[in-house]
Each structure stands twice: as C-alpha cells, then as structure tokens.
Amino acid sequence: MQTTHHSFNTQRYRIRPARLSDAEALAALRQALDAETEYFDRMPGEDVMTATDFVDQLHNSSVPDQILVVEREEQLIAYARCRGFALKRFAHKASFGLGVLRSDWGQGIGTQLTIRMIAWAKTKSLLKIQLEVVETNHGAIRLYQRHSFLEEGRLHHDRLLSDGCYYDTVLMGLAL
C-alpha cells in the first residue's frame, strides 16, 4: 500500500503503512489515545504496549495484518489496524480498530483510514471485517455505518466508564 497525502481544513497529513521505525511513536500514540478518551478498552497505564511490542507486531505476523499511520509534521496523530485470525474457522475475517487524537477529530481521518482498510481487506480476500465500539461513541458508529458496517449485536453493561456507569459494547461487521 502506498503513501497518500491529504489536506483537510488546511491541516496537511499523510497516510502510510507503519514501519519498524514507527514503533516508539506508535507506543506513545497509543498511550496518548488511552489518556484522552474512554472509547478504548484500556484505562491509562493498562496493557501498555512498548516499542518492542510494536516491532514484534510489525515484524512477526502469520495472519493478514495491516497497520496504517497518519502523520502530520513528522508526528503520528492516528493509526488503524486490521488483523486477521490464525484459526481456520475465522481465517475469512479480520478485526478492525482505529484511533485519532482528539485534536484531529472531524478532519476526515477516520474516513480515510476506514476506506483504506476496507480496500486492503479486499486485496487479502477477506470476507468480513468486524469491530467493537462503545455505545457512547456516536461519531465512530456513524462513521462505520456510512461505510456499510451493520450492528450485529451488543454486549450489555460490558464496560465501566469513569462516571461509574456500565455501557454496552456494540458489535459491528461489514461483509465484503
């Protein structure tokens, strides 16, 4: 997949496949995303991935796996990952997720990442992309619906957020 350049609202950025040299920046980005929103599974400081963990992911994958990064002024501001499954019964599908720094929401970055990941999944002959999203993440749900993802189910009272309330996890899928 080649690098593409985009400009929205005068903010210039580029989308490209992650490289081994991005490992430290990816680890820092993931921690920043965890700290600024409750839309991810982790609380800040939980399940921290180091640069070494990212190197291992980028270097050693036996399943279809793609990590895209979004870079602006040599800083990573977003990433997306689509990862297949090793088990034969699930080898036809991949799990998808993305994260964009809050300061860059509303710039079309999530849309561009989603479009590219769908195209990538098709080149790998995958038949389905699946994802999970917290019910309060209305922007992400709308984004996925615009790209024909359908709600396939809910895990009720699945996650505890900082307000002390439990929220549903929405399971979504896209047949390719």
Side-chain angles (χ1 to χ4, degrees):
M1 185 169 280
Q2 65 189 56
T3 300
T4 55
H5 297 271
H6 297 279
S7 182
F8 289 94
N9 297 341
T10 71
Q11 302 268 355
R12 186 158 174 77
Y13 64 91
R14 67 184 183 138
I15 299 172
R16 61 173 174 75
R19 302 182 291 244
L20 291 174
S21 60
D22 293 321
E24 282 189 42
L26 275 165
L29 176 60
R30 187 173 188 255
Q31 287 185 19
L33 290 166
D34 287 347
E36 70 177 21
T37 180
E38 291 190 304
Y39 294 149
F40 292 97
D41 294 342
R42 302 162 304 274
M43 301 224 3
E46 284 186 325
D47 193 30
V48 173
M49 288 186 66
T50 65
T52 302
D53 296 328
F54 274 103
V55 166
D56 289 344
Q57 284 188 3
L58 291 164
H59 197 290
N60 303 316
S61 185
S62 59
V63 297
D65 192 8
Q66 174 77 312
I67 299 176
L68 295 177
V69 296
V70 180
E71 185 176 52
R72 185 183 63 236
E73 298 173 3
E74 299 182 31
Q75 296 285 351
L76 297 188
I77 60 169
Y79 79 103
R81 183 171 193 192
C82 202
R83 180 172 173 82
F85 292 87
L87 299 174
K88 290 185 191 313
R89 291 183 179 174
F90 301 110
H92 66 286
K93 64 183 182 174
S95 179
F96 174 64
L98 66 84
V100 178
L101 288 174
R102 184 182 294 273
S103 59
D104 294 288
W105 288 2
Q107 301 296 311
I109 294 169
T111 295
Q112 294 301 319
L113 287 169
T114 302
I115 289 168
R116 277 159 186 70
M117 283 304 196
I118 291 169
W120 172 84
K122 289 178 179 179
T123 69
K124 298 299 179 187
S125 300
L126 294 169
L127 302 177
K128 181 178 181 177
I129 300 173
Q130 65 186 36
L131 61 88
E132 297 179 0
V133 59
V134 66
E135 69 177 312
T136 57
N137 193 346
H138 304 294
I141 292 169
R142 283 191 304 273
L143 165 70
Y144 301 134
Q145 288 172 335
R146 281 194 307 270
H147 294 282
S148 301
F149 282 83
L150 300 175
E151 182 174 328
E152 296 183 332
R154 283 180 177 250
L155 302 174
H156 297 283
H157 301 112
D158 188 49
R159 57 181 82 201
L160 176 65
L161 298 185
S162 63
D163 64 2
C165 296
Y166 288 91
Y167 292 89
D168 294 356
T169 295
V170 180
L171 308 175
M172 299 184 80
L174 171 67
L176 300 173

